[in-house]
Amino acid sequence: DNEFLWAHGSDATLAYHGNNRAAFSLDLAAAGAAVAEEEVTDPTDPSVEVEEDSVNVPDAIQDPSGGQDCTVNFCDNELTTGFLQKYRINVPDGQAPETCDGCTIDMELIYDGEAWVSIGFSLNGRMIGSEAVIGIPGSTTLKYNLNGYTDNLVQPMPQE
């Protein structure tokens, strides 16, 4: 499985997302792309004790594509009410979707409102150490390093 993070703000200014975030797994090797949602504990909430190494295990696996072939058509994954992820898995010629060696993914995020949106790529389902693409209304969409929970630690990556 591949670990992803999503978040969105409450307006067009990049700032703390509050509870508007979660992690999910997307199995790119399964062309139907099963998704597992997991609840993410807010490490900045003083009323909650968080172990940095803890990763929540999802209770159920869902297939948001409804059995569609996500290598042919864009499939939908409703991240939360009013926030939709559309994705298509690109399988290189000569490769099998089951192994997905060299596969890439195209994504589109659709938010019902005006706020920044992001999709992150994680090795462990946690924010710190991950990378994200963040779109801010009226700005250029950029890649970011997620080095911490404060605004100054979420930094744009150098341009390639």
Side-chain angles (χ1 to χ4, degrees):
D1 284 358
N2 297 274
E3 301 294 324
F4 295 90
L5 310 166
W6 65 262
H8 67 80
S10 56
D11 59 34
T13 303
L14 184 59
Y16 179 60
H17 48 62
N19 290 326
N20 299 323
R21 86 288 184 254
F24 66 96
S25 298
L26 186 61
D27 184 0
L28 297 180
V35 170
E37 287 269 348
E38 63 180 85
E39 197 62 34
V40 178
T41 305
D42 183 353
T44 62
D45 184 344
S47 67
V48 176
E49 287 187 36
V50 177
E51 292 181 38
E52 183 58 37
D53 294 333
S54 69
V55 175
N56 298 322
V57 178
D59 293 329
I61 302 279
Q62 307 169 43
D63 181 359
S65 70
Q68 294 181 50
D69 183 350
C70 299
T71 65
V72 175
N73 299 306
F74 274 85
C75 293
D76 294 348
N77 179 22
E78 186 175 22
L79 300 170
T80 190
T81 303
F83 193 25
L84 178 69
Q85 172 198 32
K86 296 176 89 57
Y87 64 94
R88 182 181 60 215
I89 302 166
N90 306 303
V91 181
D93 290 338
Q95 293 294 319
E98 296 77 28
T99 57
C100 229
D101 189 25
C103 287
T104 61
I105 188 168
D106 291 332
M107 287 189 199
E108 178 181 354
L109 298 177
I110 302 166
Y111 181 71
D112 185 21
E114 185 168 330
W116 63 266
V117 296
S118 69
I119 191 79
F121 309 90
S122 175
L123 295 175
N124 59 9
R126 307 292 295 176
M127 179 181 160
I128 294 178
S130 298
E131 298 176 351
V133 176
I134 301 176
I136 303 169
S139 298
T140 302
T141 299
L142 297 173
K143 297 179 194 175
Y144 286 77
N145 286 312
L146 306 179
N147 297 315
Y149 296 116
T150 59
D151 296 349
N152 65 325
L153 295 175
V154 176
Q155 294 295 314
M157 292 181 176
Q159 297 285 331
E160 295 176 1

